[in-house]
């Protein structure tokens, strides 16, 4: 299993440009998440999905959009990029079990710079 | 809303010695999970240890152990016999036992191992 994969690894955007960060998992996990990590800080949740066709906002959703058409893929869309969106973006996935406590598996991250 | 606080931005320890990283959290829930994640320079998020709030026994994983004080809402990580490969950012995280399993992270502690 490749686990959680993210593309691209690095990207530089100009203010006002748009892009999509790709995330794919091959573990058949139903839950998927997008986090951002600003320099020297912990991760903050942007959006999450509990299954195909179901998404919801996290702590910092403004400026982003997501979709979940398949179990495997959970792309994050940035519209009208702003310098405040300069960050490292992590995608994660997890499965549900009745006793809970299951681990979230993280991708390697995408470093995005908006100039 | 739940919050997680790591009051030590940086810690250092001599190789082979023991170090303790602190974490406190705030929640009104009684059932939840706590995690410590390691983030080396590669940026990959690696689960170190997990604690279920309903368990009184402290979790242990090889050289890593926790001191979970539920009443005090404290969750510290002890690393014994520190090794150079332990150098990383360490994040404490909280997850409710209900809902979409979203993680709430602390700000992180940068651990340096001195040879």
């Amino acid at each position: 299993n490749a686990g959680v994969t993210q593309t691209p690894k690095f990207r530089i955007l100009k203010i006002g440009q748009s892009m999509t960060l790709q995330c794919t998992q091959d573990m058949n996990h139903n839950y998927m998440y997008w986090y951002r990590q600003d320099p020297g800080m912990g991760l903050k949740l942007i959006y999450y999905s509990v299954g195909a066709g179901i998404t919801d906002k996290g702590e910092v959703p403004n400026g982003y959009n997501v979709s979940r058409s398949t179990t495997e893929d959970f792309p994050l869309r940035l519209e009208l990029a702003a310098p405040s969106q300069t960050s490292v973006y992590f995608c994660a996935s997890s499965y549900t079990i009745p006793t809970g406590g299951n681990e979230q598996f993280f991708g390697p991250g995408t470093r995005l710079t908006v100039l | 809303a739940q919050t997680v606080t790591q009051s030590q931005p940086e810690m250092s320890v001599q190789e082979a010695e023991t170090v303790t990283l602190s974490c406190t959290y705030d929640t009104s829930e009684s059932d939840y999970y706590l995690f410590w994640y390691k983030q080396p320079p590669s940026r990959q998020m690696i689960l170190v240890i997990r604690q279920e709030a309903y368990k009184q026994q402290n979790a242990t994983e090889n050289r890593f152990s926790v001191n979970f004080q539920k009443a005090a809402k404290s969750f510290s990580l002890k690393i014994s016999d520190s090794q150079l490969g332990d150098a990383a950012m360490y994040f404490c995280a909280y997850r409710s036992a209900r809902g979409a399993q979203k993680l709430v992270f602390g700000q992180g502690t940068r651990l340096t191992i001195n040879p």
Side-chain angles (χ1 to χ4, degrees):
Chain A
N1 285 351
V4 180
T5 57
Q6 292 182 237
T7 57
K9 285 187 170 54
F10 304 93
R11 183 72 185 268
I12 298 175
L13 282 181
K14 293 183 180 179
I15 295 172
Q17 286 185 321
S18 300
M19 76 165 294
T20 298
L21 281 65
Q22 301 293 344
C23 175
T24 299
Q25 54 92 7
D26 62 358
M27 297 173 282
N28 202 32
H29 288 171
N30 51 342
Y31 285 14
M32 295 188 75
Y33 312 84
W34 275 106
Y35 296 90
R36 61 177 286 174
Q37 183 182 25
D38 297 332
M41 302 295 289
L43 281 67
K44 292 187 177 181
L45 183 66
I46 305 171
Y47 270 96
Y48 65 97
S49 169
V50 300
I54 306 170
T55 62
D56 206 348
K57 296 177 180 179
E59 184 183 358
V60 289
N62 291 344
Y64 306 94
N65 278 299
V66 293
S67 60
R68 183 99 181 268
S69 57
T70 67
T71 299
E72 295 78 18
D73 300 307
F74 189 40
L76 178 71
R77 178 80 177 165
L78 279 73
E79 305 281 2
L80 299 175
S84 61
Q85 293 178 304
T86 294
S87 192
V88 179
Y89 292 83
F90 288 95
C91 180
S93 70
S94 68
Y95 57 92
T96 54
I97 55 176
T99 53
N102 32 292
E103 175 183 357
Q104 284 189 19
F105 294 82
F106 284 82
T110 294
R111 182 179 293 278
L112 175 67
T113 302
V114 182
L115 299 175
Chain B
Q2 295 82 17
T3 58
V4 177
T5 302
Q6 294 178 248
S7 59
Q8 306 155 315
E10 296 183 356
M11 292 283 285
S12 63
V13 64
Q14 290 296 125
E15 192 176 3
E17 295 193 344
T18 296
V19 64
T20 298
L21 308 183
S22 301
C23 173
T24 58
Y25 59 95
D26 188 26
T27 183
S28 58
E29 298 178 325
S30 60
D31 198 10
Y32 50 86
Y33 302 89
L34 297 165
F35 304 84
W36 278 98
Y37 278 88
K38 172 184 178 181
Q39 187 180 44
S42 67
R43 290 203 313 251
Q44 183 68 49
M45 295 292 287
I46 302 165
L47 179 64
V48 174
I49 200 165
R50 165 179 40 220
Q51 175 78 43
E52 292 87 342
Y54 63 84
K55 290 186 177 179
Q56 291 187 336
Q57 186 173 6
N58 290 322
T60 299
E61 289 286 344
N62 300 315
R63 298 182 294 107
F64 299 87
S65 62
V66 299
N67 184 4
F68 173 49
Q69 302 289 329
K70 191 172 184 179
K73 297 180 182 176
S74 170
F75 183 60
S76 60
L77 174 70
K78 186 172 82 170
I79 306 174
S80 304
D81 186 24
S82 298
Q83 300 176 358
L84 294 178
D86 295 334
M89 284 290 290
Y90 285 82
F91 292 97
C92 178
Y94 169 101
R95 207 204 86 199
S96 172
R98 300 184 301 175
Q101 307 178 6
K102 298 173 283 185
L103 287 171
V104 177
F105 285 87
Q107 307 92 318
T109 297
R110 181 175 301 280
L111 178 63
T112 302
I113 312 295
N114 300 314

